[in-house]
Amino acid sequence: MAESKMAEAKKGTEILKWANAKGEFVRKPSSFRNWITKDGSSGFPPESGRYHLYVSYACPWAHRTIIARSLKGLTKCITMDVVDYHMGEKGWRFNPAVKDATPDTVNGFEHLREIYFLANAEYEGRFTVPVLWDKKTKTVVNNESSEILRILNSEFNDFCETDEQRAIDLYPQELRKEIEEVNEWIYKDINNGVYRAGFATKQEAYDKAVCEVFAALDRVEEVLSTRRYLTGSTLTEADVRLYTTLARFDCVYVGHFKCNKKRIMDYPHLWDYLRDLYQTRGFGDTTNRHHIEHHYQESHLQINPHGIVAIGPDIDFNAPHNRDTKFS
């Protein structure tokens, strides 16, 4: 087993090729960018049972779409499969022997990469989650999490299970400008910032990235001192996008990615905010710490060569937060 892990660690250094000459992690763009539209003009009209999500509970980008699917009451309309938390030599795989993972119930494949090749036999990009799949045309509609999040928010309202879920709008017109502004710096310095710190291959690159992470967290802490959510009193996609990073921060980013200047628990407003979201339907019940902790520490063998999973930390996400009454 040890020899197997060491061999995989050598192959796992493929991720280090994402670094530039300065040792900075550079994320590659998503490849499939089609849209599902209510009027069908895109060629992909919304239909119940037609579309399928391939996700990982470990991946923060995929987690965005899992939350949106739950919040909007689309769990019956859009089916979903979950990959194994361990990413091996061939990338994400389907392994129903792992708790909370599933087989590929649509195409019967063993690895996620096979889905990409079914959509495009000459595909040369990365095999990432989430994937929004069209069962009818057997192709990937979209694999950009931020766009899938918006598709689920607006294009399937006719299929939401309840009126309350139908009324949820994570991207309201009157807040779009502020949402875009918040998304921009939070993505750069927090969502992707933790990866820029964790996957840095030179000290200077790490120092720059990790300082930007904590400067941005300090900024969020200040914002949340006067409002319940990032843009005010309304839960939006900006909160969904930040949540998936915060929920992983103390569990894995502090130790595994060396983002250890502070924990989220050390920020009074951020820590209350994180618990507030966790205790909201669609957030905590889709957060799988086992998948999260085991994925990062067992899969990133170039960082953690022996694949040893840390025992902690102890985190009580269900402790009272009082933000609902404080900002009522």
Side-chain angles (χ1 to χ4, degrees):
M1 182 68 174
E3 290 181 3
S4 172
K5 282 195 172 184
M6 291 305 291
E8 193 171 318
K10 292 179 180 179
K11 293 170 182 174
T13 57
E14 179 74 21
I15 199 169
L16 301 183
K17 294 179 181 178
W18 300 354
N20 62 19
K22 296 181 180 180
E24 299 169 327
F25 170 69
V26 180
R27 187 175 297 278
K28 298 182 183 300
S30 302
S31 304
F32 294 89
R33 310 295 287 271
N34 292 311
W35 206 269
I36 294 171
T37 52
K38 286 183 180 179
D39 62 7
S41 59
S42 64
F44 297 101
E47 297 176 19
S48 182
R50 173 171 173 172
Y51 300 99
H52 187 78
L53 270 175
Y54 288 109
V55 298
S56 163
Y57 282 133
C59 172
W61 318 107
H63 194 184
R64 297 173 173 183
T65 67
I66 301 172
I67 291 171
R69 173 177 175 264
S70 177
L71 281 175
K72 293 294 291 185
L74 299 173
T75 56
K76 295 178 181 177
C77 172
I78 300 172
T79 51
M80 185 175 83
D81 284 333
V82 181
V83 295
D84 184 346
Y85 58 74
H86 181 258
M87 181 186 287
E89 176 187 349
K90 294 184 178 180
W92 298 111
R93 69 168 180 155
F94 300 97
N95 182 10
V98 169
K99 186 177 184 297
D100 298 325
T102 69
D104 174 5
T105 59
V106 175
N107 294 298
F109 289 137
E110 184 178 353
H111 289 92
L112 185 73
R113 64 171 55 211
E114 297 174 85
I115 292 159
Y116 277 85
F117 289 135
L118 180 58
N120 179 0
E122 299 179 356
Y123 181 74
E124 295 181 347
R126 294 169 55 227
F127 308 104
T128 60
V129 285
V131 171
L132 183 58
W133 178 262
D134 181 6
K135 300 175 188 177
K136 182 174 289 187
T137 61
K138 296 187 181 301
T139 194
V140 175
V141 179
N142 199 299
N143 70 335
E144 168 51 52
S145 64
S146 62
E147 294 177 359
I148 297 174
L149 176 56
R150 290 187 181 174
I151 290 170
L152 300 183
N153 176 61
S154 62
E155 304 307 310
F156 285 89
N157 279 342
D158 290 342
F159 303 97
C160 298
E161 292 180 19
T162 68
D163 290 340
E164 179 186 4
Q165 291 166 323
R166 187 173 298 109
I168 292 173
D169 186 359
L170 298 172
Y171 192 53
Q173 185 69 44
E174 68 275 12
L175 292 175
R176 288 183 181 182
K177 183 176 184 293
E178 187 173 359
I179 289 171
E180 294 289 359
E181 291 172 352
V182 169
N183 283 348
E184 183 176 0
W185 61 267
I186 285 182
Y187 168 78
K188 174 183 173 293
D189 294 333
I190 300 178
N191 298 141
N192 198 45
V194 293
Y195 283 86
R196 289 169 47 233
F199 288 152
T201 58
K202 293 185 179 179
Q203 186 70 47
E204 295 80 4
Y206 162 77
D207 290 344
K208 181 177 185 294
V210 79
C211 287
E212 290 173 351
V213 168
F214 285 98
L217 287 175
D218 290 344
R219 183 177 176 183
V220 175
E221 175 74 358
E222 184 176 351
V223 168
L224 294 176
S225 68
T226 60
R227 51 179 62 179
R228 183 175 182 182
Y229 302 114
L230 288 171
T231 59
S233 59
T234 302
L235 176 73
T236 72
E237 68 167 45
D239 301 292
V240 174
R241 289 164 55 117
L242 178 58
Y243 170 82
T244 60
T245 298
L246 297 184
R248 289 156 175 76
F249 202 92
D250 291 1
C251 299
V252 289
Y253 299 151
V254 168
H256 187 64
F257 277 175
K258 303 181 183 66
C259 294
N260 60 353
K261 183 181 180 182
K262 289 183 181 179
R263 305 166 303 168
I264 299 303
M265 287 187 284
D266 297 324
Y267 288 95
H269 301 296
L270 260 171
W271 176 221
D272 285 349
Y273 167 81
L274 174 54
R275 299 198 313 282
D276 186 4
L277 292 180
Y278 183 89
Q279 293 168 35
T280 300
R281 178 186 53 79
F283 287 82
D285 53 355
T286 63
T287 303
N288 190 312
R289 278 191 64 180
H290 183 79
H291 274 234
I292 290 167
E293 294 172 0
H294 282 259
H295 163 68
Y296 284 92
Q297 296 173 84
E298 289 188 22
S299 301
H300 299 162
L301 298 180
Q302 73 279 14
I303 297 175
N304 185 32
H306 298 289
I308 295 172
V309 180
I311 192 173
D314 292 333
I315 304 176
D316 185 3
F317 287 114
N318 286 308
H321 55 79
N322 300 319
R323 287 182 67 83
D324 50 345
T325 55
K326 180 179 180 180
F327 295 106
S328 61

